[in-house]
Amino acid sequence: MPSSTETSERAGSAEGRPRRLFVLRHAKSAWPEGVADRDRPLGPRGLRDAPAAGSFLAESGVLPDLVLCSPARRARRTWELAAAELDGPVPARHDPRLYGAEAPELLDVLHGVPDEVAALLLVGHNPGLEELVLLLAARGVGDALDRIRTKFPTSAIAVLTWSGTWTDLRPGEALLTDLAIPRGARDPS
């Protein structure tokens, strides 16, 4: 059993640890008639853009330690295509709480992330993801915050950073360091 000194040293080190949250809105979906919302597939643009989101993640220099993904078909497929662009596997969980979640529910999900996770990718839906980014980011680099206030489009990736634990993350504590809107190349034919 660890001593109280060992326990407090571990807890103390987690408190000031830098964290990174990638927030990825699923790629553009299709709207086939008679298909339930949860089962909607990606559309042609989404099939192009999701790998571009993976390329952005690969080039960011920090891969997520964990992915929490909505179980909706379009979110799962976005992650599958993005993950194929990464150098190695990243553990992923399909969390039903992410489907249709609003910002407070998403923040509750973040509060349950293990402390050993320094970088997390959240793959889900609007309006909840956009609301979460705006809730967490007190400030942004350049015009990133203003751009999210205008629109958080499909395949957009917001990158937030702060120091502390996931459990203690509160509104206004994060810095929005980047907003990327990766787009795949169109087929010239």
Side-chain angles (χ1 to χ4, degrees):
M1 180 169 200
S3 71
S4 61
T5 304
E6 291 172 306
T7 303
S8 66
E9 283 175 6
R10 273 194 303 238
S13 65
E15 286 176 18
R17 186 174 182 192
R19 306 289 174 168
R20 184 168 300 193
L21 173 62
F22 296 95
V23 179
L24 170 59
R25 184 176 173 200
H26 67 77
K28 186 73 173 174
S29 61
W31 293 82
E33 191 173 321
V35 173
D37 183 71
R38 189 179 282 253
D39 296 327
R40 287 181 18 232
L42 292 181
R45 190 175 98 198
L47 292 168
R48 288 191 313 265
D49 292 348
S55 294
F56 171 83
L57 292 169
E59 294 165 8
S60 75
V62 178
L63 291 183
D65 300 310
L66 177 66
V67 175
L68 296 179
C69 183
S70 163
R73 180 179 176 189
R74 60 194 179 274
R76 290 191 330 262
R77 187 66 176 141
T78 297
W79 168 239
E80 290 167 3
L81 293 170
E85 302 299 314
L86 305 179
D87 288 334
V90 176
R93 296 182 195 151
H94 297 105
D95 190 327
R97 297 174 297 171
L98 301 181
Y99 179 74
E102 295 179 1
E105 297 161 309
L106 293 169
L107 185 55
D108 285 345
V109 169
L110 295 178
H111 286 159
V113 172
D115 280 338
E116 59 269 12
V117 174
L120 175 74
L121 172 62
L122 197 61
V123 183
H125 313 271
N126 252 7
L129 291 183
E130 179 178 340
E131 293 167 354
L132 177 70
V133 171
L134 293 173
L135 177 71
L136 294 177
R139 58 200 190 292
V141 173
D143 67 348
L145 203 51
D146 288 335
R147 290 172 51 218
I148 284 185
R149 286 183 183 120
T150 302
K151 187 174 185 181
F152 191 59
T154 55
S155 300
I157 304 171
V159 184
L160 298 120
T161 61
W162 79 97
S163 291
T165 65
W166 295 99
T167 305
D168 294 330
L169 178 60
R170 299 289 176 257
E173 285 188 357
L175 172 66
L176 177 63
T177 60
D178 201 356
L179 172 63
I181 305 171
R183 296 293 184 229
R186 288 183 174 219
D187 185 358
S189 56

